[in-house]
Amino acid sequence: MNVLVMLAAILLVLMVLVGGWQGAKSFISLFLNFGVVFFTVFFMLDASANPIVITFIACIVIGCISLFYINEVNSKTVIAFVSTMVTISLLLFFIVIISKKLMIHGFGEEEEEAIAGLSLYIGVDFMKVGASVIIMSTIGAIMDVAISIASSMHEVFKHTPTLSKKELFKSGVGIGRDILGTDTNTLFFAFFGGYLALLIWFKDLHYTIGDIVNSKIFSSEMILILCAGLGIALVIPIASWMNAYFLVRVKAVKKGLSEKA
């Protein structure tokens, strides 16, 4: 426990030194988001509750904490929040369909020994829980891309206000392309880092490539990575269009007001 407290203190000091008060708020937001996740899991224990609805509400709260609490309420954070929620809505509909088709929810045969003495009649829809896990795992990456594009496009338009909506949209998509590759690779290596022991176990059990690919645990994690990648790819044009429309629209309104004055 002392080591955890020490690491948390070091993280806090570094975040404050680098980010100042905003870094301190970022540190506090980690605990706030942890609380949101904890209560989300708590409410999911109710068999009559819909895990997908609870997850979507949790995503809204997490988005408010991560965007508005840390960066305050402004045009950049509002557009990033709206584009994130639109992307999450589209992705959630897609994930529910994929989860039903692939039937990857539940436990794999590698986990049978761990749950052998437990009752499986817990009244929870594992398909919806699986979809909720995917959404909760992707919202961080989606928000990161959305706010990065919003901040970059605002700076581009600030220094080059003569850009048209089409040119500004292309700039946003160009920025997003640079982010797309790095974020997708981050998700990919996060999977291998977290499941390195499982892959070593597969090797010790002499699993073939076909066995690994058809393993429920491996497939579910790959679906998570692919869906997260889809979310990142979707939020780029959505956030770019919203930012381009807003910035050009605001400029036109200001111009019209100045002409009337």
Side-chain angles (χ1 to χ4, degrees):
M1 185 64 182
N2 292 333
V3 177
L4 293 177
V5 173
M6 183 179 67
L7 288 174
I10 294 172
L11 176 61
L12 175 60
V13 170
L14 289 175
M15 292 180 75
V16 171
L17 289 175
V18 174
W21 172 237
Q22 192 170 11
K25 290 197 294 184
S26 299
F27 182 81
I28 296 171
S29 71
L30 294 175
F31 295 93
L32 295 177
N33 286 330
F34 174 78
V36 173
V37 174
F38 175 81
F39 281 105
T40 300
V41 175
F42 177 78
F43 286 119
M44 281 185 182
L45 295 176
D46 185 0
S48 61
N50 190 327
I52 295 178
V53 175
I54 294 173
T55 302
F56 188 76
I57 295 173
C59 288
I60 294 175
V61 178
I62 290 172
C64 291
I65 293 172
S66 301
L67 294 173
F68 300 141
Y69 173 70
I70 298 175
N71 301 299
E72 300 180 351
V73 180
N74 51 56
S75 58
K76 292 183 287 187
T77 54
V78 170
I79 295 173
F81 177 79
V82 174
S83 58
T84 298
M85 291 302 110
V86 171
T87 305
I88 289 291
S89 301
L90 295 174
L91 194 62
L92 188 57
F93 178 75
F94 176 77
I95 287 172
V96 171
I97 296 175
I98 292 297
S99 298
K100 287 181 179 179
K101 293 289 184 181
L102 294 180
M103 299 292 288
I104 59 172
H105 49 276
F107 298 96
E109 59 182 12
E110 296 83 5
E111 299 167 306
E112 290 179 355
E113 184 178 349
I115 63 173
L118 303 176
S119 173
L120 301 179
Y121 298 98
I122 59 176
V124 174
D125 190 337
F126 278 96
M127 188 280 295
K128 292 181 180 179
V129 171
S132 299
V133 169
I134 295 173
I135 287 296
M136 292 293 286
S137 302
T138 60
I139 184 171
I142 293 172
M143 278 193 302
D144 178 49
V145 174
I147 191 64
S148 297
I149 290 176
S151 298
S152 301
M153 290 183 68
H154 275 68
E155 287 298 316
V156 168
F157 192 73
K158 179 181 178 181
H159 294 287
T160 316
T162 57
L163 290 174
S164 65
K165 188 188 300 182
K166 184 177 180 180
E167 291 172 332
L168 199 56
F169 174 77
K170 288 183 177 179
S171 298
V173 173
I175 295 166
R177 285 172 183 163
D178 295 332
I179 301 172
L180 179 62
T182 54
D183 273 26
T184 306
N185 277 293
T186 299
L187 295 169
F188 181 75
F189 287 110
F191 160 72
F192 277 101
Y195 281 83
L196 186 60
L198 177 65
L199 297 175
I200 295 173
W201 189 33
F202 283 159
K203 178 182 178 298
D204 291 339
L205 293 176
H206 305 291
Y207 272 40
T208 64
I209 297 298
D211 293 331
I212 294 174
V213 172
N214 288 286
S215 171
K216 183 173 285 190
I217 297 177
F218 183 84
S219 298
S220 61
E221 291 301 321
M222 288 305 299
I223 291 299
L224 191 151
I225 294 172
L226 294 173
C227 288
L230 286 173
I232 295 171
L234 277 174
V235 76
I236 290 172
I238 292 173
S240 299
W241 182 85
M242 286 187 176
N243 280 282
Y245 177 83
F246 172 80
L247 292 170
V248 174
R249 180 68 177 173
V250 168
K251 178 187 174 183
V253 170
K254 287 181 178 180
K255 184 178 180 181
L257 292 174
S258 63
E259 288 178 352
K260 288 180 180 180

